[in-house]
Amino acid sequence: MTMDIPALRKKYSTISRGINDDFINVHPIQRGGVLTPEAQKVLLEFGDGYSLCDQCLKGSLERIQKPPVGEFFEDFAKWVNMDHSFATGAARHSKEIAFKVLKKLHPERNIVILDANAHYSTFMALEENHLQPMEVPHNGKYAYKIILEKYEEKIDEVQEKTHELPLAVLLTHVDYQYGNYNDPEIVGKICQKKGVTFVLNGAYSIGILPPPSCKSIGVDFLAASGHKSMASSGPVGMIAFKEEYAAEVFAKSSITTDITERSWPNKYCHFLGCPPVYGAPLATLMASFPAVVERCLPANAADESKKINFLIDEIKKIEGFSVHGVLPKIHPLTKVSMPAFAKIAETHPRKGFFVRDEFKKRGIIGMAPGISKSMKINTYGLTWEQVKHIAWAFKDISSQNGLTVKD
Amino acid sequence: MTMDIPALRKKYSTISRGINDDFINVHPIQRGGVLTPEAQKVLLEFGDGYSLCDQCLKGSLERIQKPPVGEFFEDFAKWVNMDHSFATGAARHSKEIAFKVLKKLHPERNIVILDANAHYSTFMALEENHLQPMEVPHNGKYAYKIILEKYEEKIDEVQEKTHELPLAVLLTHVDYQYGNYNDPEIVGKICQKKGVTFVLNGAYSIGILPPPSCKSIGVDFLAASGHKSMASSGPVGMIAFKEEYAAEVFAKSSITTDITERSWPNKYCHFLGCPPVYGAPLATLMASFPAVVERCLPANAADESKKINFLIDEIKKIEGFSVHGVLPKIHPLTKVSMPAFAKIAETHPRKGFFVRDEFKKRGIIGMAPGISKSMKINTYGLTWEQVKHIAWAFKDISSQNGLTVKD
């Protein structure tokens, strides 16, 4: 097909995010993925296609020694206290692989018990493996706190109904909606008692909060996200797991072709050979890892909690504004309810977009377009000065639009 | 687990490729992935995690308008003459999705017919879908040319044996081993005659050679690779396909959860929601696209063929050196056989590594470490001056090691 190359150039060669460092980005899923200076440096160096494959000796990712990919997988596993870790395309991909492996081990089990705040990608990972979800409830408006103890009765319910154990239990460590933190130790104990595999989705937590000591608390599989929470260029996830699942996760190709008699006994089937991260994504994840480990030290994580709780206290001074989810916050992802903005939007010429406009005018971006009744924000990694500026912006926009703001 | 952060910093924060632009990289899978200047620019701008999601309005990738992701998918489809295209994690991921979709449409069919030079990832994509391969032979040493007409008898063979059609036919447009080009039109005609779905693996060709006019020649699915052949930061692939497969490729989530009654009717199951390319990979693919379209114009592609054929003529002047695969070359990926180097390696203190050392001394990198009997190289996108320098290096290393080099 003849293509109009000048028109294509105009459309694609100069694409731009249209934002720069002068803006404060509070996008709920982007704060944890902001690159460290180290990662920015390697991003350029490893930017080309398959850059990590320069020194590939044996055709498998973990055997690359320059840079030390295999050592990184060992260090990551050590950090979260697991036996193995490996790269994936994303946390959702890690979950898909965990469920695929478990389904192969227990083809008769079809149900996965998960929390009522689980991420949509968890359901896609189930759906792709022909599995059914069963939810563990939260406690409703407005804390939406998962009632962790109920995992036990849900397991019993599955056993009664199907005469089989559930294939797995999944807990979302920190959820995407309210940023609620769930203690995996409670669920781990239940799973150990009942003999059920425990998958922890750490997409929002690993790289932000102190990592759980997985094996000690009964976690069998951990899913983590580089671009979401570990200062990496997307896409890259991590899967970490116990030794007992290693043979199946690392299942190798068993095909021998009929004519050429080729076979690939070193290639990992579930990763289609090597996971699709053989360039900038894994390089940036590795470069950021030391800084990520440091930022997850309890004192540093606590400082991030302080910032979001300060902002929440300021937001609550605005007439009718509230915060959904469990308070005080542990994780900085936060859902702000602002019915008064929704009311203004009804008659505003820019409708719900006025909220975004007003924040942008004040140097703040990352709010979903069109929203006004509620919005999700994330202060992770912002300075105190920036957090105070956001607090001021909330209050300033409110008072300029006729809302009462307490002192 | 307590981690030694200074030790981690030493190990990971300063990782480096250890190469720079002073070297000529002839790595067989890396030439097509070298970023354009436009892509280098957007790489930095879209480097952070989920950068493409800044302006996500509806929770699906193709609806992002800034930058124009949906338009890009349309333009890509137009370029290869297909009805639809979408991003994936890699060409292997595109193949996995194609087979998954086909298996769902025809659960009774279990065999995929493919060429004897097919890439290992094609077999992984089969294996993950519980499918069996059947090879179409090549003509043996040293051309390894696929006997395309044999696809027809293989289809007949499957029908006789299984009383079913094969699930699909796959052709590797250009293979990874010899860089042989296969004419998809021949296979397309056979598939149309027999009523079999035709999957074309364009991982090495799309972005390097003029694109096939897929629909006109009977291609049903096309797999392409950004990091391999379209000047993109990895990982990003493309899948393109005919309208009749659209409903199944874009199958949406059908789960409604039992307690919260959540559902995600807009999310694409086979992509786990959105494909994992929501940052630098897709941004660089889009930014490079105009240049990629231009470099694939017949005259430009022909110039690249001239360069590799010039180099091959020079290499053949060396005693005992030859080139495997069909000559003259259309695609610049080339397998050089050099038995004399293997002989030298037997007694060389650096064994097979001496070849790599000698080339590196002359400013050339990208040879697999340890090889000496044969090696794969790729001259794509190098200047004539660089290609001539490589020719000189081959001859210089040879004559310095006592081999006869013809004038």
Side-chain angles (χ1 to χ4, degrees):
Chain A
M1 189 65 74
T2 310
M3 305 291 284
D4 181 348
I5 295 173
L8 292 178
R9 284 203 186 281
K10 206 171 153 191
K11 196 153 49 165
Y12 301 118
S13 300
T14 56
I15 56 172
S16 160
R17 287 181 77 174
I19 62 170
N20 59 45
D21 292 344
D22 297 340
F23 286 94
I24 300 170
N25 189 350
V26 296
H27 197 297
I29 62 168
Q30 294 190 352
R31 295 294 326 150
V34 174
L35 297 183
T36 58
E38 307 84 277
Q40 278 181 328
K41 191 176 160 290
V42 305
L43 176 67
L44 268 188
E45 199 168 342
F46 287 88
D48 295 338
Y50 273 105
S51 55
L52 264 181
C53 307
D54 282 338
Q55 315 278 347
C56 180
L57 282 164
K58 310 268 186 185
S60 78
L61 190 63
E62 81 284 7
R63 296 201 193 176
I64 296 172
Q65 290 172 358
K66 289 179 195 177
V69 175
E71 268 188 78
F72 170 69
F73 293 157
E74 284 169 24
D75 281 326
F76 185 90
K78 191 176 151 193
W79 183 50
V80 297
N81 189 24
M82 278 290 204
D83 296 315
H84 296 277
S85 88
F86 207 63
T88 66
R92 60 190 67 187
H93 186 212
S94 304
K95 290 180 279 185
E96 189 193 22
I97 289 173
F99 292 139
K100 183 178 264 190
V101 161
L102 292 170
K103 184 69 190 161
K104 212 163 162 188
L105 292 171
H106 303 288
E108 71 288 358
R109 301 181 186 173
N110 291 307
I111 295 175
V112 172
I113 297 174
L114 40 65
D115 55 283
N117 291 334
H119 193 254
Y120 81 82
S121 66
T122 301
F123 295 93
M124 311 286 118
L126 293 184
E127 219 159 344
E128 283 296 278
N129 284 293
H130 312 289
L131 298 168
Q132 283 100 51
M134 181 185 269
E135 288 180 303
V136 172
H138 51 57
N139 69 359
K141 288 179 187 173
Y142 287 100
Y144 303 96
K145 185 178 166 56
I146 301 298
I147 310 167
L148 297 177
E149 296 69 22
K150 292 235 178 205
Y151 270 96
E152 183 158 359
E153 62 188 67
K154 288 288 169 183
I155 294 172
D156 292 339
E157 201 179 317
V158 170
Q159 278 197 292
E160 276 163 37
K161 224 168 88 177
T162 68
H163 306 289
E164 298 288 350
L165 284 171
L167 182 72
V169 144
L170 180 137
L171 176 68
T172 310
H173 199 194
V174 169
D175 78 81
Y176 73 109
Q177 190 72 281
Y178 312 106
N180 283 351
Y181 170 84
N182 292 304
D183 183 356
E185 202 162 348
I186 297 170
V187 179
K189 270 194 191 128
I190 296 169
C191 288
Q192 284 180 311
K193 180 177 157 194
K194 296 286 185 180
V196 177
T197 302
F198 179 21
V199 180
L200 184 65
N201 180 11
Y204 284 86
S205 59
I206 304 301
I208 304 292
L209 301 180
S213 178
C214 290
K215 282 200 293 177
S216 325
I217 61 170
V219 179
D220 293 285
F221 283 93
L222 174 72
S225 171
H227 45 273
K228 213 165 224 161
S229 302
M230 293 190 281
S232 310
S233 191
V236 60
M238 290 295 289
I239 184 170
F241 49 96
K242 286 187 182 165
E243 178 61 35
E244 63 189 284
Y245 301 102
E248 197 46 60
V249 174
F250 292 132
K252 305 239 175 88
S253 174
S254 62
I255 279 182
T256 301
T257 65
D258 57 337
I259 295 183
T260 56
E261 295 184 337
R262 290 181 295 162
S263 63
W264 299 271
N266 287 327
K267 295 288 187 186
Y268 302 128
C269 280
H270 301 322
F271 300 89
L272 300 177
C274 282
V277 294
Y278 12 61
L282 185 53
T284 54
L285 176 59
M286 287 171 65
S288 283
F289 184 61
V292 163
V293 169
E294 188 166 30
R295 78 192 197 180
C296 289
L297 292 174
N300 297 335
D303 198 42
E304 294 294 334
S305 309
K306 265 184 219 153
K307 288 178 202 164
I308 186 66
N309 287 314
F310 162 82
L311 176 59
I312 289 169
D313 288 343
E314 292 297 297
I315 287 172
K316 281 170 154 182
K317 291 178 182 169
I318 305 166
E319 175 191 349
F321 274 45
S322 64
V323 166
H324 292 181
V326 179
L327 293 177
K329 302 284 304 175
I330 294 171
H331 187 283
L333 191 155
T334 298
K335 184 164 190 169
V336 181
S337 171
M338 37 194 209
F341 277 179
K343 203 160 172 60
I344 294 165
E346 280 172 20
T347 54
H348 198 284
R350 288 278 292 153
K351 298 252 169 64
F353 285 91
F354 95 93
V355 177
R356 191 178 158 98
D357 297 345
E358 291 285 342
F359 276 103
K360 195 165 183 185
K361 266 190 235 164
R362 291 163 179 82
I364 298 162
I365 56 166
M367 286 84 180
I371 47 94
S372 57
K373 203 170 148 190
S374 70
M375 67 177 175
K376 294 196 286 182
I377 55 169
N378 190 336
T379 55
Y380 190 74
L382 296 177
T383 62
W384 269 104
E385 198 182 319
Q386 289 172 317
V387 172
K388 283 174 187 167
H389 177 77
I390 299 166
W392 165 81
F394 263 101
K395 294 190 290 183
D396 190 50
I397 295 166
S398 300
S399 58
Q400 292 220 356
N401 280 280
L403 303 180
T404 307
V405 180
K406 279 183 244 164
D407 273 340
Chain B
M1 189 66 73
T2 310
M3 304 292 282
D4 180 348
I5 294 172
L8 292 177
R9 282 203 187 280
K10 207 171 152 191
K11 196 152 49 166
Y12 301 116
S13 299
T14 57
I15 54 171
S16 161
R17 286 181 79 175
I19 61 170
N20 59 46
D21 291 344
D22 297 340
F23 286 93
I24 301 170
N25 189 350
V26 295
H27 197 297
I29 61 170
Q30 294 191 351
R31 296 292 330 148
V34 174
L35 298 183
T36 58
E38 308 83 278
Q40 279 182 328
K41 192 176 161 289
V42 305
L43 176 67
L44 268 187
E45 200 168 341
F46 287 89
D48 295 338
Y50 274 104
S51 55
L52 265 181
C53 307
D54 283 337
Q55 314 279 346
C56 180
L57 281 163
K58 309 270 186 181
S60 77
L61 191 62
E62 82 284 7
R63 297 202 193 174
I64 296 172
Q65 290 172 0
K66 288 179 195 176
V69 175
E71 267 188 79
F72 170 69
F73 293 158
E74 284 169 24
D75 280 327
F76 185 90
K78 190 176 151 195
W79 184 49
V80 297
N81 190 24
M82 278 290 205
D83 296 315
H84 296 277
S85 88
F86 207 62
T88 66
R92 59 191 68 188
H93 187 213
S94 304
K95 290 180 279 184
E96 188 192 23
I97 290 172
F99 293 137
K100 184 178 265 190
V101 161
L102 292 171
K103 182 70 189 160
K104 213 163 161 189
L105 292 171
H106 302 288
E108 71 289 357
R109 301 180 186 174
N110 291 308
I111 295 175
V112 172
I113 296 173
L114 40 66
D115 56 282
N117 291 333
H119 193 252
Y120 80 82
S121 65
T122 300
F123 295 93
M124 312 286 117
L126 293 185
E127 221 159 343
E128 284 296 279
N129 284 295
H130 311 290
L131 298 169
Q132 283 100 50
M134 181 185 270
E135 289 179 303
V136 172
H138 51 58
N139 68 358
K141 289 179 185 172
Y142 288 96
Y144 304 98
K145 185 177 164 59
I146 301 297
I147 310 167
L148 298 175
E149 295 70 22
K150 292 236 178 202
Y151 270 95
E152 183 157 1
E153 62 188 68
K154 289 288 170 183
I155 294 171
D156 292 339
E157 201 180 317
V158 170
Q159 278 195 291
E160 275 162 37
K161 223 168 90 179
T162 68
H163 308 287
E164 297 289 350
L165 284 172
L167 182 71
V169 144
L170 179 135
L171 176 68
T172 311
H173 199 196
V174 169
D175 77 80
Y176 73 109
Q177 190 71 281
Y178 313 105
N180 283 350
Y181 170 84
N182 292 305
D183 182 357
E185 203 162 347
I186 298 170
V187 179
K189 270 193 192 131
I190 297 169
C191 289
Q192 283 179 312
K193 180 176 156 194
K194 296 288 184 178
V196 177
T197 302
F198 180 19
V199 180
L200 184 66
N201 179 12
Y204 284 87
S205 58
I206 303 301
I208 304 290
L209 302 179
S213 179
C214 290
K215 281 199 293 178
S216 325
I217 61 168
V219 179
D220 293 285
F221 283 93
L222 174 71
S225 169
H227 44 273
K228 214 166 223 160
S229 303
M230 292 190 282
S232 310
S233 192
V236 59
M238 290 296 288
I239 185 170
F241 48 96
K242 286 186 182 164
E243 178 60 35
E244 63 187 284
Y245 302 103
E248 196 46 60
V249 174
F250 292 131
K252 306 239 176 90
S253 174
S254 61
I255 280 181
T256 300
T257 66
D258 57 336
I259 294 183
T260 55
E261 295 183 341
R262 290 180 295 161
S263 62
W264 299 271
N266 287 327
K267 295 287 187 186
Y268 303 128
C269 279
H270 302 321
F271 300 89
L272 300 176
C274 282
V277 294
Y278 11 61
L282 185 53
T284 55
L285 176 60
M286 289 171 63
S288 284
F289 184 62
V292 163
V293 169
E294 187 165 32
R295 77 191 197 181
C296 289
L297 293 175
N300 297 335
D303 199 41
E304 294 294 336
S305 309
K306 266 183 218 152
K307 287 179 202 162
I308 187 65
N309 287 312
F310 163 81
L311 177 59
I312 288 170
D313 287 343
E314 292 297 297
I315 286 172
K316 281 172 156 180
K317 292 178 181 168
I318 305 167
E319 175 190 349
F321 275 44
S322 64
V323 164
H324 292 183
V326 179
L327 293 176
K329 302 284 304 174
I330 293 172
H331 187 282
L333 191 155
T334 298
K335 185 166 190 169
V336 182
S337 170
M338 36 192 210
F341 277 0
K343 202 159 173 61
I344 294 164
E346 280 173 21
T347 55
H348 198 285
R350 288 278 291 153
K351 298 251 169 63
F353 285 92
F354 95 93
V355 176
R356 191 177 160 99
D357 296 345
E358 292 286 341
F359 277 103
K360 195 164 183 184
K361 267 190 235 164
R362 290 164 179 82
I364 298 161
I365 56 165
M367 285 86 179
I371 46 97
S372 56
K373 203 169 147 190
S374 71
M375 68 179 175
K376 294 197 285 181
I377 56 169
N378 190 336
T379 54
Y380 190 74
L382 296 177
T383 63
W384 270 105
E385 199 183 319
Q386 289 172 316
V387 173
K388 284 173 186 167
H389 177 76
I390 299 167
W392 166 81
F394 263 100
K395 294 191 287 182
D396 190 50
I397 295 166
S398 300
S399 57
Q400 292 219 356
N401 281 279
L403 303 180
T404 308
V405 179
K406 278 182 244 165
D407 272 343

